[in-house]
Amino acid sequence: RYDFIKDSKLQETLYLFSGYVSFIYYDELIKNNYSEELKEIKAHTIFVYLGSIIESIIYEFVKSKLTDEKSKRKYLEIEEFKSLQKIKETENLHICRLDKKEINLNDSINFNALINWAKDKNIISEKILKKIDNFRKMRNLVHINAFLNYDEEKIIWKLEEAFIDTK
């Protein structure tokens, strides 16, 4: 249930994503006799959607906790080097200045940053954060280079554990 989510559009989307995960699992993986390769792709799709559900819940949770200015500065302020002048003798040297800017929580913060913030603030247990980070890693297998470097057992065998962890 997503009753704790205040944004009704997000709540509706989370229910839709959850329904899609159930559909893929029960109607696609369980009922059909797909090849192992296709089952792996379908299992990965489930991880993408579960990871997105978890990320949005963590985002909402962190957003509700990120209220004091000191925390906001630590997690939303970044430093960037701004090139002022290129040194002509080389292509790689510039005269720069270090600028600070605050990123927008809604647009720029990523799943890993949310996990790190929750870890630093000790607002979610290490055990749960480890499970959340595992979802993040499985979801990131959507990137070909991450998928090709995934050495562990087949993704489909991780689904049962993932469903238990999601609860």
Side-chain angles (χ1 to χ4, degrees):
R1 302 224 173 241
Y2 303 111
D3 298 341
F4 58 92
I5 302 289
K6 290 177 179 55
D7 182 330
S8 61
K9 186 174 181 180
L10 175 59
Q11 196 180 81
E12 187 178 310
T13 302
L14 292 172
Y15 282 119
L16 183 64
F17 277 30
S18 297
Y20 187 57
V21 164
S22 295
F23 167 75
I24 293 171
Y25 184 71
Y26 293 110
D27 288 359
E28 298 283 318
L29 278 180
I30 302 299
K31 289 183 181 177
N32 291 306
N33 191 20
Y34 291 132
S35 68
E36 286 301 309
E37 291 82 9
L38 188 54
K39 284 183 178 181
E40 281 291 291
I41 297 297
K42 296 222 177 253
H44 181 254
T45 300
I46 290 171
F47 274 106
V48 169
Y49 280 85
L50 282 177
S52 295
I53 290 168
I54 292 167
E55 180 179 16
S56 69
I57 290 169
I58 295 293
Y59 170 81
E60 289 296 314
F61 182 70
V62 166
K63 189 168 87 171
S64 73
K65 300 290 183 185
L66 193 62
T67 55
D68 67 281
E69 286 304 313
K70 186 177 179 184
S71 291
K72 281 184 181 180
R73 276 194 302 280
K74 182 174 180 185
Y75 284 92
L76 299 179
E77 188 174 86
I78 61 170
E79 293 180 335
E80 295 180 319
F81 284 105
K82 181 174 183 179
S83 178
L84 298 175
Q85 178 183 355
K86 188 174 181 176
I87 298 175
K88 292 182 182 179
E89 291 81 33
T90 70
E91 291 186 24
N92 297 340
L93 292 178
H94 297 259
I95 297 173
C96 297
R97 127 178 128 221
L98 188 62
D99 286 344
K100 290 184 179 185
K101 83 175 198 182
E102 190 172 298
I103 60 172
N104 185 326
L105 177 66
N106 295 327
D107 299 331
S108 303
I109 202 153
N110 63 38
F111 200 0
N112 195 45
L114 293 170
I115 292 168
N116 289 337
W117 188 85
K119 185 185 296 183
D120 285 354
K121 291 294 183 182
N122 292 319
I123 57 173
I124 299 176
S125 75
E126 278 290 325
K127 183 179 176 183
I128 293 174
L129 282 172
K130 186 174 181 173
K131 290 178 181 189
I132 291 169
D133 198 39
N134 286 337
F135 271 100
R136 182 188 65 79
K137 290 173 186 171
M138 294 302 288
R139 190 200 62 180
N140 285 351
L141 293 179
V142 74
H143 304 292
I144 294 296
N145 59 338
F147 188 82
L148 290 174
N149 292 320
Y150 182 70
D151 290 337
E152 296 184 34
E153 70 235 38
K154 294 194 173 285
I155 295 170
I156 196 163
W157 303 120
K158 297 269 191 186
L159 275 177
E160 185 177 343
E161 179 185 330
F163 287 144
I164 291 167
D165 287 348
T166 303
K167 289 181 181 182

